[in-house]
Coordinates of all heavy atoms in Angstrom, one line a residue:
M1 N -44.7 51.8 5.6 CA -43.4 51.2 5.8 C -42.6 51.4 4.5 O -43.1 51.3 3.4 CB -43.5 49.8 6.2 CG -42.2 49.1 6.5 SD -42.5 47.5 7.1 CE -40.9 46.9 7.1
L2 N -41.3 51.7 4.7 CA -40.5 51.9 3.5 C -40.2 50.5 2.9 O -40.0 49.5 3.6 CB -39.1 52.5 4.0 CG -39.2 53.9 4.5 CD1 -37.8 54.4 5.0 CD2 -39.7 54.9 3.4
N3 N -40.1 50.5 1.6 CA -39.7 49.3 0.9 C -38.2 49.1 0.9 O -37.7 48.0 0.7 CB -40.2 49.4 -0.6 CG -41.7 49.3 -0.7 OD1 -42.3 48.7 0.1 ND2 -42.2 49.9 -1.7
K4 N -37.4 50.1 1.1 CA -36.0 50.0 1.1 C -35.4 50.9 2.1 O -35.8 52.0 2.3 CB -35.5 50.4 -0.3 CG -34.0 50.3 -0.5 CD -33.6 50.7 -1.9 CE -32.1 50.6 -2.0 NZ -31.6 51.1 -3.3
A5 N -34.4 50.4 2.9 CA -33.8 51.2 3.9 C -33.0 52.3 3.2 O -32.3 52.1 2.2 CB -32.8 50.3 4.7
P6 N -33.0 53.5 3.7 CA -32.4 54.6 3.0 C -30.8 54.5 3.2 O -30.3 54.2 4.2 CB -32.9 55.9 3.8 CG -33.4 55.4 5.1 CD -33.8 54.0 4.8
R7 N -30.2 54.8 2.1 CA -28.7 54.8 2.1 C -28.0 53.6 2.6 O -27.0 53.6 3.3 CB -28.2 56.0 2.8 CG -28.5 57.3 2.0 CD -28.0 58.5 2.8 NE -29.2 59.1 3.4 CZ -29.2 59.4 4.7 NH1 -28.3 59.1 5.5 NH2 -30.3 59.9 5.3
L8 N -28.6 52.4 2.4 CA -28.1 51.2 3.0 C -26.8 50.8 2.3 O -25.8 50.3 3.0 CB -29.1 50.0 2.8 CG -28.8 48.7 3.5 CD1 -28.6 48.9 4.9 CD2 -29.9 47.7 3.2
K9 N -26.7 50.9 1.0 CA -25.5 50.6 0.3 C -24.3 51.4 0.8 O -23.2 50.8 1.0 CB -25.6 50.8 -1.2 CG -26.4 49.7 -1.9 CD -26.5 49.9 -3.4 CE -27.3 48.9 -4.0 NZ -27.4 49.1 -5.5
S10 N -24.4 52.7 0.9 CA -23.3 53.5 1.4 C -22.9 53.2 2.8 O -21.8 53.2 3.2 CB -23.7 55.0 1.3 OG -24.7 55.3 2.1
T11 N -23.9 52.8 3.7 CA -23.6 52.5 5.0 C -22.9 51.2 5.1 O -21.9 51.1 5.9 CB -25.0 52.3 5.8 OG1 -25.7 53.5 5.8 CG2 -24.7 52.0 7.3
I12 N -23.2 50.2 4.3 CA -22.5 48.9 4.3 C -21.1 49.1 3.8 O -20.1 48.6 4.4 CB -23.2 47.9 3.4 CG1 -24.5 47.5 4.0 CG2 -22.4 46.7 3.1 CD1 -25.4 46.7 3.0
K13 N -20.9 49.9 2.8 CA -19.5 50.2 2.3 C -18.7 50.9 3.3 O -17.5 50.6 3.4 CB -19.6 50.9 1.0 CG -20.0 50.0 -0.2 CD -19.9 50.7 -1.5 CE -20.2 49.8 -2.6 NZ -19.9 50.3 -3.9
T14 N -19.2 51.9 4.0 CA -18.4 52.6 5.0 C -18.1 51.8 6.2 O -17.1 52.0 6.8 CB -19.1 53.9 5.4 OG1 -20.4 53.6 5.9 CG2 -19.3 54.9 4.3
K15 N -19.0 50.9 6.6 CA -18.7 50.0 7.7 C -17.8 48.8 7.4 O -17.3 48.2 8.3 CB -20.0 49.4 8.2 CG -21.0 50.5 8.8 CD -20.6 51.0 10.1 CE -21.6 52.0 10.6 NZ -21.3 52.5 11.9
A16 N -17.6 48.5 6.1 CA -16.7 47.4 5.7 C -15.3 47.7 6.1 O -14.8 48.9 6.1 CB -16.8 47.2 4.2
K17 N -14.6 46.7 6.6 CA -13.2 46.9 7.1 C -12.3 46.9 5.9 O -12.3 46.0 5.1 CB -12.9 45.8 8.0 CG -13.7 45.8 9.3 CD -13.3 44.7 10.2 CE -14.2 44.8 11.4 NZ -14.1 43.7 12.3
G18 N -11.5 47.9 5.8 CA -10.5 48.0 4.7 C -11.1 48.4 3.4 O -12.3 48.7 3.2
N19 N -10.3 48.5 2.4 CA -10.7 48.8 1.0 C -10.9 47.5 0.3 O -10.0 47.0 -0.3 CB -9.7 49.7 0.4 CG -10.2 50.3 -0.9 OD1 -11.4 50.2 -1.2 ND2 -9.3 50.9 -1.7
I20 N -12.1 47.0 0.3 CA -12.4 45.7 -0.4 C -13.2 46.0 -1.7 O -14.0 46.9 -1.7 CB -13.1 44.8 0.5 CG1 -14.5 45.4 1.0 CG2 -12.3 44.4 1.7 CD1 -15.3 44.4 1.8
N21 N -13.1 45.1 -2.6 CA -13.9 45.1 -3.8 C -15.0 44.1 -3.7 O -14.7 42.9 -3.4 CB -13.0 44.8 -5.0 CG -12.0 45.9 -5.3 OD1 -12.3 47.1 -5.1 ND2 -10.9 45.5 -5.8
V22 N -16.2 44.5 -3.8 CA -17.4 43.6 -3.7 C -18.0 43.6 -5.1 O -18.4 44.7 -5.7 CB -18.3 44.1 -2.7 CG1 -19.5 43.2 -2.6 CG2 -17.6 44.2 -1.3
R23 N -18.3 42.4 -5.6 CA -18.9 42.3 -6.9 C -20.4 42.7 -6.8 O -21.0 42.6 -5.7 CB -18.8 40.9 -7.4 CG -17.3 40.5 -7.6 CD -17.3 39.2 -8.2 NE -17.2 39.3 -9.6 CZ -17.1 38.2 -10.4 NH1 -17.0 37.0 -9.9 NH2 -17.0 38.4 -11.7
P24 N -21.0 43.1 -7.9 CA -22.4 43.6 -7.8 C -23.4 42.5 -7.2 O -24.3 42.8 -6.5 CB -22.8 43.9 -9.2 CG -21.5 44.3 -9.8 CD -20.5 43.4 -9.2
A25 N -23.2 41.3 -7.6 CA -24.1 40.2 -7.1 C -23.9 40.0 -5.6 O -24.9 39.9 -4.8 CB -23.8 38.9 -7.8
S26 N -22.6 40.1 -5.1 CA -22.4 40.0 -3.7 C -22.9 41.2 -2.9 O -23.5 41.1 -1.8 CB -20.9 39.9 -3.4 OG -20.4 38.8 -4.0
E27 N -22.8 42.4 -3.5 CA -23.4 43.6 -2.9 C -24.9 43.5 -2.8 O -25.4 43.8 -1.7 CB -23.0 44.8 -3.8 CG -23.3 46.1 -3.2 CD -22.9 47.3 -4.0 OE1 -21.8 47.2 -4.6 OE2 -23.6 48.3 -4.1
A28 N -25.5 43.0 -3.8 CA -27.0 42.8 -3.7 C -27.4 41.8 -2.6 O -28.3 41.9 -1.9 CB -27.5 42.3 -5.1
M29 N -26.6 40.7 -2.5 CA -26.8 39.7 -1.5 C -26.7 40.3 -0.1 O -27.5 40.0 0.8 CB -25.9 38.5 -1.7 CG -26.2 37.4 -0.7 SD -27.8 36.6 -0.9 CE -27.6 35.7 -2.4
I30 N -25.6 41.1 0.1 CA -25.4 41.7 1.4 C -26.6 42.6 1.7 O -27.1 42.6 2.9 CB -24.1 42.5 1.4 CG1 -22.9 41.5 1.3 CG2 -24.0 43.4 2.6 CD1 -21.6 42.2 1.0
E31 N -27.0 43.4 0.7 CA -28.1 44.3 1.0 C -29.4 43.5 1.3 O -30.1 43.9 2.3 CB -28.4 45.2 -0.2 CG -29.4 46.2 0.0 CD -29.5 47.2 -1.1 OE1 -28.7 47.2 -2.1 OE2 -30.4 48.1 -1.0
L32 N -29.7 42.4 0.6 CA -30.9 41.6 0.9 C -30.8 41.0 2.3 O -31.8 40.9 3.0 CB -31.1 40.6 -0.2 CG -31.5 41.1 -1.6 CD1 -31.5 40.0 -2.6 CD2 -32.9 41.8 -1.5
L33 N -29.6 40.5 2.6 CA -29.5 39.9 4.0 C -29.7 40.9 5.1 O -30.3 40.6 6.1 CB -28.1 39.2 4.1 CG -28.0 37.9 3.3 CD1 -26.6 37.4 3.3 CD2 -28.9 36.8 3.9
T34 N -29.2 42.1 4.8 CA -29.3 43.2 5.8 C -30.8 43.6 6.0 O -31.3 43.7 7.1 CB -28.5 44.4 5.4 OG1 -27.1 44.0 5.2 CG2 -28.6 45.5 6.5
L35 N -31.5 43.7 4.9 CA -32.9 44.0 4.9 C -33.7 42.9 5.6 O -34.7 43.1 6.4 CB -33.5 44.3 3.5 CG -33.0 45.6 2.9 CD1 -33.5 45.6 1.4 CD2 -33.6 46.7 3.6
L36 N -33.4 41.6 5.3 CA -34.0 40.5 6.0 C -33.8 40.5 7.5 O -34.7 40.3 8.2 CB -33.5 39.2 5.4 CG -34.1 37.9 5.9 CD1 -35.6 37.9 5.4 CD2 -33.4 36.7 5.3
F37 N -32.6 40.8 7.9 CA -32.2 40.9 9.3 C -33.1 42.0 10.0 O -33.6 41.9 11.0 CB -30.8 41.2 9.5 CG -30.4 41.5 10.9 CD1 -30.4 40.5 11.9 CD2 -30.1 42.8 11.3 CE1 -30.1 40.8 13.2 CE2 -29.8 43.1 12.6 CZ -29.8 42.1 13.6
L38 N -33.1 43.2 9.3 CA -33.9 44.3 9.9 C -35.3 44.0 10.0 O -36.0 44.4 10.9 CB -33.6 45.6 9.0 CG -32.2 46.2 9.1 CD1 -32.1 47.4 8.1 CD2 -31.9 46.6 10.5
N39 N -35.9 43.3 9.0 CA -37.3 43.0 9.0 C -37.6 42.0 10.1 O -38.6 42.2 10.9 CB -37.7 42.3 7.6 CG -39.2 42.1 7.5 OD1 -39.9 42.8 8.2 ND2 -39.6 41.2 6.6
S40 N -36.7 41.0 10.3 CA -37.0 40.0 11.4 C -36.8 40.7 12.8 O -37.5 40.4 13.7 CB -36.0 38.8 11.3 OG -34.7 39.2 11.5
L41 N -35.8 41.7 12.9 CA -35.6 42.4 14.1 C -36.9 43.2 14.4 O -37.3 43.3 15.6 CB -34.4 43.3 14.0 CG -34.0 44.1 15.2 CD1 -33.5 43.1 16.3 CD2 -32.9 45.0 14.9
A42 N -37.5 43.8 13.4 CA -38.7 44.6 13.6 C -39.9 43.8 14.0 O -40.6 44.1 14.9 CB -39.0 45.4 12.3
E43 N -40.0 42.6 13.4 CA -41.1 41.7 13.8 C -40.9 41.2 15.3 O -41.9 41.1 16.0 CB -41.1 40.5 12.9 CG -41.6 40.8 11.5 CD -43.0 41.2 11.4 OE1 -43.8 40.7 12.2 OE2 -43.3 42.1 10.6
E44 N -39.7 40.9 15.7 CA -39.4 40.4 17.0 C -39.7 41.6 18.0 O -40.2 41.3 19.1 CB -38.0 39.9 17.2 CG -37.7 38.6 16.4 CD -38.5 37.4 17.0 OE1 -38.6 37.4 18.3 OE2 -38.9 36.6 16.3
A45 N -39.3 42.8 17.7 CA -39.5 43.9 18.5 C -41.0 44.2 18.7 O -41.5 44.6 19.7 CB -38.8 45.2 18.0
K46 N -41.8 44.0 17.6 CA -43.2 44.1 17.6 C -43.8 43.1 18.6 O -44.7 43.5 19.4 CB -43.8 43.9 16.2 CG -45.3 44.1 16.1 CD -45.7 43.8 14.7 CE -47.2 43.7 14.6 NZ -47.6 43.4 13.2
A47 N -43.4 41.9 18.5 CA -43.9 40.8 19.4 C -43.5 41.2 20.9 O -44.3 41.0 21.8 CB -43.3 39.5 19.0
K48 N -42.3 41.7 21.1 CA -41.9 42.0 22.5 C -42.7 43.2 23.0 O -43.1 43.1 24.2 CB -40.4 42.5 22.4 CG -39.8 42.8 23.8 CD -39.6 41.6 24.6 CE -38.8 42.0 25.9 NZ -38.7 40.9 26.8
A49 N -43.0 44.2 22.2 CA -43.9 45.3 22.6 C -45.3 44.8 22.9 O -45.9 45.2 23.9 CB -43.9 46.3 21.5
F50 N -45.8 43.8 22.2 CA -47.1 43.2 22.4 C -47.1 42.5 23.7 O -48.1 42.5 24.5 CB -47.5 42.3 21.2 CG -48.9 41.8 21.4 CD1 -50.0 42.6 21.1 CD2 -49.1 40.4 21.7 CE1 -51.3 42.1 21.2 CE2 -50.3 39.9 21.8 CZ -51.5 40.7 21.6
E51 N -46.0 41.8 24.0 CA -45.9 41.0 25.3 C -46.0 42.0 26.5 O -46.6 41.6 27.5 CB -44.6 40.3 25.4 CG -44.5 39.0 24.5 CD -43.2 38.4 24.6 OE1 -42.3 38.8 25.4 OE2 -42.9 37.5 23.7
E52 N -45.4 43.1 26.3 CA -45.4 44.1 27.4 C -46.6 45.0 27.4 O -46.7 46.0 28.1 CB -44.1 44.9 27.4 CG -42.9 44.1 27.6 CD -41.6 44.9 27.6 OE1 -41.7 46.2 27.4 OE2 -40.5 44.3 27.7
K53 N -47.6 44.7 26.5 CA -48.8 45.5 26.4 C -48.6 46.9 26.1 O -49.2 47.8 26.6 CB -49.7 45.3 27.6 CG -50.1 43.9 27.9 CD -51.0 43.8 29.1 CE -51.6 42.4 29.2 NZ -50.8 41.4 29.8
S54 N -47.6 47.1 25.2 CA -47.3 48.5 24.7 C -47.8 48.7 23.3 O -47.6 47.8 22.5 CB -45.8 48.7 24.8 OG -45.4 49.9 24.2
A55 N -48.4 49.8 23.0 CA -48.9 50.1 21.7 C -47.8 50.6 20.8 O -48.0 50.7 19.6 CB -50.0 51.1 21.8
T56 N -46.6 51.0 21.3 CA -45.5 51.6 20.6 C -44.3 50.7 20.7 O -44.0 50.3 21.8 CB -45.2 53.0 21.1 OG1 -46.4 53.8 21.1 CG2 -44.2 53.7 20.2
I57 N -43.6 50.5 19.6 CA -42.3 49.8 19.7 C -41.3 50.8 20.0 O -41.0 51.8 19.3 CB -42.0 49.2 18.3 CG1 -43.0 48.1 17.9 CG2 -40.6 48.5 18.3 CD1 -42.9 47.6 16.5
R58 N -40.7 50.6 21.2 CA -39.6 51.6 21.7 C -38.3 51.0 21.5 O -38.1 49.8 21.2 CB -39.9 51.9 23.1 CG -41.2 52.6 23.4 CD -41.3 53.1 24.8 NE -42.5 54.0 24.9 CZ -43.7 53.5 25.3 NH1 -43.9 52.3 25.5 NH2 -44.7 54.4 25.3
A59 N -37.3 51.8 21.7 CA -35.9 51.4 21.6 C -35.5 50.2 22.6 O -34.8 49.3 22.2 CB -34.9 52.6 21.9
Q60 N -36.2 50.2 23.7 CA -35.9 49.2 24.7 C -36.3 47.8 24.2 O -35.7 46.8 24.4 CB -36.6 49.5 26.0 CG -38.1 49.5 25.9 CD -38.7 50.0 27.2 OE1 -38.1 50.7 28.0 NE2 -40.0 49.7 27.4
H61 N -37.4 47.8 23.4 CA -37.9 46.5 22.8 C -36.9 46.0 21.8 O -36.5 44.8 21.7 CB -39.2 46.7 22.2 CG -40.3 47.1 23.1 ND1 -41.1 48.2 22.9 CD2 -40.6 46.7 24.4 CE1 -41.9 48.4 23.9 NE2 -41.7 47.5 24.8
V62 N -36.4 46.9 20.9 CA -35.4 46.5 19.9 C -34.1 46.1 20.6 O -33.5 45.0 20.2 CB -35.1 47.7 18.9 CG1 -34.1 47.3 17.9 CG2 -36.4 48.1 18.3
R63 N -33.7 46.8 21.6 CA -32.4 46.4 22.3 C -32.6 45.0 22.9 O -31.7 44.2 22.9 CB -32.1 47.4 23.4 CG -31.3 48.5 22.9 CD -30.7 49.4 24.0 NE -30.9 50.8 23.7 CZ -31.8 51.6 24.2 NH1 -32.5 51.2 25.2 NH2 -31.9 52.8 23.8
A64 N -33.7 44.7 23.6 CA -33.9 43.4 24.2 C -33.9 42.3 23.2 O -33.3 41.3 23.5 CB -35.2 43.5 25.0
V65 N -34.5 42.5 22.1 CA -34.6 41.5 21.1 C -33.2 41.3 20.4 O -32.8 40.2 20.2 CB -35.6 41.9 20.0 CG1 -35.6 41.0 18.8 CG2 -37.0 41.8 20.6
S66 N -32.5 42.4 20.2 CA -31.2 42.3 19.5 C -30.2 41.6 20.4 O -29.4 40.8 20.0 CB -30.7 43.6 19.1 OG -30.4 44.4 20.2
K67 N -30.3 41.8 21.7 CA -29.4 41.1 22.7 C -29.6 39.6 22.6 O -28.7 38.9 22.6 CB -29.6 41.6 24.1 CG -28.9 43.0 24.4 CD -29.1 43.4 25.8 CE -28.6 44.8 26.1 NZ -28.8 45.2 27.4
V68 N -30.9 39.2 22.7 CA -31.2 37.8 22.7 C -30.8 37.2 21.3 O -30.2 36.1 21.3 CB -32.7 37.6 22.9 CG1 -33.1 36.1 22.7 CG2 -33.1 38.0 24.3
G69 N -31.1 37.9 20.2 CA -30.7 37.3 18.9 C -29.2 37.2 18.7 O -28.7 36.2 18.2
L70 N -28.5 38.3 19.1 CA -27.1 38.2 18.8 C -26.4 37.3 19.8 O -25.4 36.6 19.4 CB -26.5 39.6 19.0 CG -26.9 40.7 18.0 CD1 -26.3 42.0 18.3 CD2 -26.4 40.2 16.6
C71 N -26.9 37.1 21.0 CA -26.2 36.2 21.9 C -26.5 34.8 21.5 O -25.6 33.9 21.5 CB -26.8 36.4 23.4 SG -26.2 37.9 24.1
S72 N -27.7 34.5 21.0 CA -28.0 33.1 20.6 C -27.2 32.8 19.3 O -26.7 31.7 19.1 CB -29.5 32.9 20.3 OG -29.9 33.7 19.3
Q73 N -27.0 33.8 18.4 CA -26.2 33.5 17.2 C -24.8 33.3 17.6 O -24.1 32.5 17.0 CB -26.4 34.7 16.2 CG -25.7 34.5 14.9 CD -25.9 35.7 14.0 OE1 -26.5 36.7 14.3 NE2 -25.4 35.5 12.8
H74 N -24.3 34.1 18.5 CA -22.9 34.0 18.9 C -22.6 32.6 19.5 O -21.6 32.0 19.3 CB -22.5 35.1 20.0 CG -21.1 35.0 20.5 ND1 -20.0 35.3 19.7 CD2 -20.6 34.7 21.7 CE1 -18.9 35.1 20.4 NE2 -19.3 34.8 21.6
C75 N -23.5 32.1 20.4 CA -23.4 30.8 21.0 C -23.4 29.7 19.9 O -22.7 28.7 20.0 CB -24.5 30.5 22.0 SG -24.4 31.6 23.4
I76 N -24.3 29.8 18.9 CA -24.3 28.8 17.8 C -23.0 28.8 17.0 O -22.5 27.8 16.7 CB -25.5 29.1 16.9 CG1 -26.9 28.9 17.6 CG2 -25.5 28.3 15.6 CD1 -28.1 29.3 16.9
N77 N -22.5 30.0 16.8 CA -21.2 30.1 16.0 C -20.1 29.5 16.8 O -19.2 28.8 16.2 CB -20.9 31.5 15.6 CG -21.8 32.1 14.6 OD1 -22.4 31.3 13.8 ND2 -21.9 33.4 14.5
N78 N -20.1 29.6 18.1 CA -19.0 29.1 18.9 C -19.1 27.5 19.0 O -18.1 26.9 19.1 CB -19.0 29.7 20.3 CG -18.5 31.1 20.3 OD1 -17.7 31.5 19.4 ND2 -18.8 31.8 21.4
T79 N -20.3 27.0 19.0 CA -20.4 25.5 19.1 C -20.0 24.9 17.7 O -19.6 23.8 17.7 CB -21.9 25.1 19.5 OG1 -22.8 25.7 18.5 CG2 -22.2 25.6 20.8
I80 N -20.2 25.6 16.6 CA -19.9 25.0 15.3 C -18.4 25.0 15.2 O -17.8 24.0 14.7 CB -20.5 25.8 14.2 CG1 -22.0 25.7 14.2 CG2 -20.0 25.4 12.8 CD1 -22.8 26.6 13.3
M81 N -17.7 26.0 15.6 CA -16.3 26.1 15.4 C -15.6 25.2 16.4 O -15.1 24.5 16.9 CB -15.7 27.5 15.6 CG -16.3 28.4 14.5 SD -15.7 30.0 14.7 CE -15.0 30.3 13.1

């Protein structure tokens, strides 16, 4: 397993809306949070594949987990606001 996602910093900067200045500490925090999210997504996809008795983690497992995770996070954000 890779210790660091390839080209993560450039991906974050290109996906950012507009021309924003991000301080180095904030950039590091964004990168760490992204890696943490990807790690948790991979763990959940692994569990989903195990539930379906599959030896391989497929795209369908990641999609199913991301839908549940994003929908639950969206519902939590709406109840707070």
Side-chain angles (χ1 to χ4, degrees):
M1 184 174 170
L2 294 174
N3 291 332
K4 183 178 176 186
R7 290 180 258 124
L8 186 57
K9 285 183 183 181
S10 63
T11 303
I12 291 169
K13 284 188 176 188
T14 56
K15 297 284 183 178
K17 295 179 180 170
N19 189 12
I20 58 172
N21 292 327
V22 180
R23 298 181 93 177
S26 298
E27 187 176 321
M29 184 63 77
I30 291 169
E31 187 171 356
L32 289 173
L33 286 172
T34 305
L35 288 172
L36 184 64
F37 170 74
L38 291 175
N39 190 21
S40 65
L41 186 67
E43 290 293 325
E44 292 291 326
K46 179 181 172 183
K48 181 74 173 172
F50 183 74
E51 285 175 12
E52 295 180 2
K53 296 181 172 82
S54 175
T56 307
I57 299 172
R58 295 191 172 91
Q60 64 190 20
H61 300 130
V62 177
R63 274 192 224 108
V65 170
S66 64
K67 282 182 184 178
V68 172
L70 292 175
C71 289
S72 65
Q73 184 179 5
H74 178 68
C75 294
I76 290 171
N77 288 340
N78 285 341
T79 57
I80 292 172
M81 296 179 127

